[in-house]
Amino acid sequence: MNTSYFHISTIDSVAILVLNTIEEKVNTLNEAMMEEFTLFLDRFESNPDWKGAVLISGKEDNFIAGADIEMFNTRESANELEALSQAGHAIFNRIESLKKPMVVAVHGSCMGGGLELSMACHYRIASTHPSTRFALPEVKLGILPGTGGTQRLPRLIGIQKSLPIMLTGKNVFSRQAKRMGLVDELIHKDALQTAGIAAVHRLSKKSFKRTDKRSFAEKILEATPLGRAIIFSQARKQTAKQTRGNYPAPEGIIDAVEFGYKKGFYAGLKEESRLFGKLGASSESRALVQLFFGMNNAKKIPQPEHIQPTQVIGVLGAGLMGSGIADESINQGGYSVILKDRDLESAVRGEKNVWKELDKKANKRIITSFERDRLMSQLTSTESYASLAHADVVIEAVFEDLDLKHQVLKEVEDVVSDRCIFATNTSSIPITDIAKVSSRPEQVIGMHYFSPVQKMPLLELITTPETASWVTSTAFQIGVKQGKTVIVVNDGPGFYTTRILAPYMNEALLLLEEGASIEFLEGTMKDFGYPVGPMVLFDEVGMDVGAHVGDVMAPLFNARGGRSSKKASELVEAGFLGRKNGNGLYRYEKGKKKTVNQSIYAHFGSSSRSKPDPETAQLRMGLMMVNEAVYCLQEDVLLSPTDGDLGAILGLGFPPFTGGPFRYIDQKGADWVHDTLLRFSEQFGPRFKPAPLLADYARSGRSFHPDK
């Protein structure tokens, strides 16, 4: 029997329920699917010929990707969202109370509501494949698990193991899941159905007693109200330290878990629904949900019919950036990679960096040692340009020097095929300038990755007026296969991300010159919502890189009345390079926590520091980035406000709960942002003059995202 969502068959007196949403790449939980599932439960309970059921997915590398987030767009009030949660509880509670065993067999991603459904089943089997992973990522949408996750997960694996999973949304891979008791059995993906049928027959004859995988210490601490109170208190302290009051969802998750342990499972479910509604209706959640939609839309490749098949990628430069690109290309993208540096020793060092990352995954049993070795076999290190002869795409990740980039571009074009794409990973040099020496400038594109490549989710593609559409589409596909969220921007100094970052960082230096302390500037922007403040960012990027970017961008900003700090160059000359040499705005000593580098204040007047008004300091730095984003949209560097929001959040850490610079303007009101900038321009200088496009929106009362 086939329906829109399920294929139902019978094997050896067991109902096989294959979930396969028609015309969708992944399965998601939505109301129509749950209605069909309810009809199946009616048949299942009334059919004496079925001893049990196996729920399995018909999708490749996907079980259930979570709830269909579109349901949020049809419900705006807390009451509507609470009712949605309660409807899910009714179905999952029914599954849990079935008299016959329901076994779930998971291969691929099992996220959110998919994991909550799995936990309501009586027995869980997972494939050992690396694509199989479990998560409750609702916190990333500003909500909590709303169909029983806050109540079932702690009771299944313990409070102390479950809280980090729910508070971070992190992935748990199948072997980890088995060790903690989230999964009962592991099997090869091709044997899932057979193992599920066998499990049904075992459970139909004898009830299954699950082993408690918690440690002795965990059991002792979680066994008493006092011990649990300690756990929840510590979780709240740690959460407050990380969220700084900007995200209500983590606190809500802790509240729901604690309530359930105090009042009981079913009271906990009721409280979970109430909090789900409250959080889902919050401005923070609404912004994060729209960010999610933006990220999903950024996976849609423009003009996919123009994509050129890509199998071999060459990477020039085997430093941390180049080796990171190589790692993502083999590990996520499945490409063969040729990693080239000026000498074989340097190239091999980069190869070792890739090995270390893969070996970490093997040691954590995320992948097998065989999988690690197989992936490494796709990487070749070399010192010869001739090795790039068969590359479909070459990504250059050498130092930010135009002459050097010209040199490598010409040397690459001497050996590669006529259809090979040359991509430059530059953060500030205009692609048009780099392409001037190319014999085929239509095949030159910018691919701006962010460091560390393996952790940063954004890829910024930069096109020139000459860049061919097939080149853009092919580069876009590479980014998507590497697991990146991709935005396409037009060429110009600093493109988008570097261009809006530069005035933000410059304002931080100016505040430092005015007497603010390093601790103040770092802390106040973390309070504003950035994951790290500008001081740590300077050290992580490298003061020399910051100085170079400042020099490249200064003419653009100074032409508008900007005031560019010269301190970055001065600090570089004095040997303050940041983390790379252990000496920056902070001091970095092996085995010790970083400390403020007091000696740096000699370059900023004296060690005597003042404390500006925190809100004014936050807005001076934050609005410089916001205003520049509007300039980028006005000048067609950005193709859309959504791209601007994605780029700022995923590339630079702009506070995610705001939804990005353009949603921030919509939330605050274009008139308020405009008037604040105008006031600052009178108080601090013409660099704060509002972008003309912002003035237009302020006058007309328009929003950059009028549909949301």
Side-chain angles (χ1 to χ4, degrees):
M1 175 183 173
N2 290 320
T3 71
S4 300
Y5 295 93
F6 297 105
H7 173 73
I8 304 169
S9 61
T10 303
I11 299 177
D12 197 13
S13 301
V14 175
I16 308 298
L17 188 63
V18 180
L19 175 58
N20 195 357
T21 307
I22 296 173
E23 297 181 354
E24 295 291 342
K25 290 183 179 180
V26 298
N27 295 319
T28 58
L29 298 180
N30 60 38
E31 289 158 295
M33 190 273 270
M34 296 307 285
E35 285 176 11
E36 286 194 8
F37 194 80
T38 300
L39 293 174
F40 166 77
L41 292 178
D42 293 340
R43 288 185 58 200
F44 178 66
E45 288 182 304
S46 62
N47 189 338
D49 295 332
W50 280 338
K51 293 182 178 180
V54 175
L55 174 62
I56 195 167
S57 171
K59 300 293 186 187
E60 184 179 354
D61 296 339
N62 167 252
F63 178 68
I64 298 176
D68 185 351
I69 308 301
E70 287 289 350
M71 291 189 293
F72 279 79
N73 279 346
T74 61
R75 292 166 173 83
E76 295 185 359
S77 73
N79 288 339
E80 289 175 309
L81 290 164
E82 183 177 347
L84 183 66
S85 170
Q86 290 170 342
H89 286 159
I91 296 173
F92 290 1
N93 289 346
R94 182 180 178 186
I95 294 170
E96 194 170 50
S97 62
L98 288 169
K99 303 300 183 185
K100 294 185 284 189
M102 174 78 72
V103 173
V104 64
V106 177
H107 170 65
S109 54
C110 181
M111 305 290 173
L115 177 52
E116 291 175 292
L117 170 59
S118 300
M119 288 190 291
C121 294
H122 306 110
Y123 192 81
R124 286 167 290 283
I125 306 172
S127 81
T128 53
H129 195 274
S131 68
T132 298
R133 55 194 184 274
F134 302 85
L136 291 174
E138 287 86 351
V139 70
K140 297 178 182 179
L141 297 178
I143 54 177
L144 48 65
T147 43
T150 66
Q151 304 306 305
R152 287 192 174 91
L153 187 63
R155 287 166 174 80
L156 188 62
I157 65 172
I159 301 170
Q160 293 166 89
K161 285 192 178 79
S162 66
L163 282 177
I165 291 172
M166 290 186 284
L167 293 173
T168 65
K170 68 178 183 178
N171 288 333
V172 178
F173 293 86
S174 53
R175 288 179 176 82
Q176 297 170 304
K178 176 68 164 60
R179 287 198 301 273
M180 65 175 58
L182 182 57
V183 163
D184 301 310
E185 183 181 342
L186 297 179
I187 199 78
H188 189 277
K189 66 184 181 69
D190 295 335
L192 271 176
Q193 182 172 291
T194 302
I197 293 169
V200 167
H201 285 293
R202 287 197 310 273
L203 269 64
S204 65
K205 294 174 183 176
K206 184 180 179 182
S207 62
F208 172 63
K209 186 171 175 59
R210 188 168 283 108
T211 304
D212 190 338
K213 300 291 184 71
R214 292 178 298 167
S215 68
F216 178 74
E218 286 172 335
K219 291 176 185 176
I220 292 295
L221 197 57
E222 295 177 13
T224 65
L226 178 59
R228 293 194 292 269
I230 293 170
I231 295 169
F232 294 129
S233 174
Q234 290 301 312
R236 284 193 174 88
K237 287 178 183 176
Q238 188 65 28
T239 295
K241 184 178 178 183
Q242 292 173 342
T243 66
R244 303 174 93 93
N246 290 316
Y247 296 89
E251 184 77 18
I253 289 169
I254 298 169
D255 288 345
V257 175
E258 184 174 31
F259 191 94
Y261 272 86
K262 285 182 176 178
K263 304 292 185 180
F265 178 80
Y266 290 102
L269 289 179
K270 190 173 181 181
E271 179 68 1
E272 177 187 271
S273 290
R274 186 188 71 80
L275 289 169
F276 181 83
K278 177 183 176 183
L279 292 169
S282 69
S283 61
E284 292 88 355
S285 177
R286 291 294 170 180
L288 291 168
V289 166
Q290 294 308 321
L291 176 64
F292 172 85
F293 283 126
M295 291 172 66
N296 273 358
N297 288 332
K299 294 175 184 175
K300 296 175 182 175
I301 300 168
Q303 298 179 296
E305 68 277 7
H306 293 170
I307 294 171
Q308 174 178 282
T310 302
Q311 294 180 322
V312 180
I313 293 177
V315 179
L316 299 183
L320 288 177
M321 182 64 77
S323 63
I325 295 169
D327 184 353
E328 292 289 82
S329 298
I330 63 170
N331 194 19
Q332 300 281 353
Y335 297 107
S336 294
V337 174
I338 301 160
L339 183 60
K340 184 202 174 299
D341 212 313
R342 60 183 179 275
D343 54 61
L344 192 57
E345 183 181 359
S346 299
V348 169
R349 272 200 302 270
E351 186 177 347
K352 286 180 179 176
N353 286 336
V354 177
W355 167 265
K356 286 177 185 175
E357 291 299 318
L358 290 174
D359 197 42
K360 282 181 192 174
K361 292 180 180 178
N363 289 334
K364 293 178 180 177
R365 298 187 181 181
I366 295 171
I367 60 175
T368 63
S369 56
F370 173 81
E371 184 72 6
R372 174 201 62 198
D373 296 343
R374 185 190 68 77
L375 289 168
M376 280 303 298
S377 72
Q378 295 170 212
L379 178 64
T380 304
S381 52
T382 184
E383 61 182 351
S384 169
Y385 277 103
S387 301
L388 302 173
H390 299 293
D392 301 300
V393 176
V394 173
I395 302 173
E396 162 271 303
V398 302
F399 186 69
E400 287 283 278
D401 179 85
L402 183 58
D403 291 337
L404 178 59
K405 290 182 183 291
H406 280 167
Q407 177 187 333
V408 298
L409 171 53
K410 288 187 285 188
E411 289 174 328
V412 166
E413 288 188 343
D414 284 343
V415 298
V416 297
S417 72
D418 290 344
R419 294 288 284 177
C420 181
I421 295 170
F422 183 88
T424 173
N425 176 52
T426 176
S427 60
S428 59
I429 303 173
I431 309 304
T432 305
D433 292 349
I434 294 172
K436 281 179 180 176
V437 301
S438 174
S439 59
R440 36 186 184 267
E442 70 280 1
Q443 290 168 223
V444 178
I445 191 169
M447 292 182 75
H448 180 201
Y449 293 86
F450 297 76
S451 185
V453 180
Q454 294 93 331
K455 292 183 179 179
M456 295 298 286
L458 185 72
L459 172 62
E460 182 180 26
L461 293 184
I462 307 103
T463 62
T464 74
E466 292 187 83
T467 305
S469 60
W470 68 267
V471 171
T472 304
S473 298
T474 303
F476 201 111
Q477 185 192 50
I478 291 170
V480 170
K481 289 184 72 174
Q482 289 170 333
K484 304 302 179 188
T485 297
V486 185
I487 64 170
V488 180
V489 302
N490 286 319
D491 195 22
F495 328 125
Y496 174 62
T497 53
T498 302
R499 177 168 166 179
I500 67 171
L501 179 64
Y504 165 79
M505 300 294 277
N506 182 69
E507 199 64 25
L509 286 178
L510 293 176
L511 280 157
L512 205 56
E513 289 183 45
E514 291 171 20
S517 69
I518 292 169
E519 302 99 315
F520 170 82
L521 293 171
E522 185 67 19
T524 198
M525 293 317 285
K526 289 178 75 173
D527 289 342
F528 191 65
Y530 284 83
V532 298
M535 303 292 99
V536 166
L537 191 56
F538 262 122
D539 281 357
E540 293 292 338
V541 170
M543 194 63 70
D544 52 341
V545 175
H548 171 75
V549 169
D551 290 342
V552 170
M553 302 303 301
L556 173 70
F557 300 136
N558 292 346
R560 298 204 310 251
R563 178 186 160 207
S564 299
S565 172
K566 303 295 183 185
K567 289 298 180 181
S569 297
E570 182 182 319
L571 293 173
V572 171
E573 289 177 14
F576 296 97
L577 298 183
R579 185 182 279 276
K580 66 179 69 177
N581 73 340
N583 188 36
L585 293 159
Y586 293 87
R587 291 194 62 82
Y588 303 86
E589 297 179 61
K590 197 171 183 180
K592 296 182 180 180
K593 284 186 68 175
K594 69 178 184 293
T595 56
V596 171
N597 196 343
Q598 297 293 331
S599 63
I600 213 162
Y601 287 133
H603 296 269
F604 292 91
S606 72
S607 59
S608 178
R609 299 278 98 187
S610 60
K611 186 175 181 182
D613 174 62
E615 184 181 4
T616 301
Q618 287 172 343
L619 291 175
R620 280 179 59 178
M621 289 181 276
L623 291 186
M624 286 299 283
M625 183 178 284
V626 169
N627 196 38
E628 200 59 39
V630 179
Y631 269 112
C632 288
L633 184 64
Q634 174 183 307
E635 296 170 12
D636 294 326
V637 170
L638 273 178
L639 304 186
S640 73
T642 297
D643 285 348
D645 289 336
L646 289 174
I649 291 173
L650 302 179
L652 307 176
F654 192 88
F657 66 88
T658 67
F662 293 98
R663 289 197 183 277
Y664 175 86
I665 294 171
D666 290 348
Q667 186 184 94
K668 292 289 187 179
D671 54 347
W672 180 87
V673 176
H674 174 271
D675 292 349
T676 303
L677 284 166
L678 206 58
R679 176 163 51 85
F680 281 0
S681 68
E682 295 167 357
Q683 189 174 355
F684 302 111
R687 65 186 180 278
F688 286 100
K689 184 180 178 182
L693 183 62
L694 179 61
D696 289 344
Y697 273 66
R699 280 193 297 270
S700 64
R702 283 188 294 164
S703 298
F704 287 100
H705 298 282
D707 56 324
K708 303 297 179 188

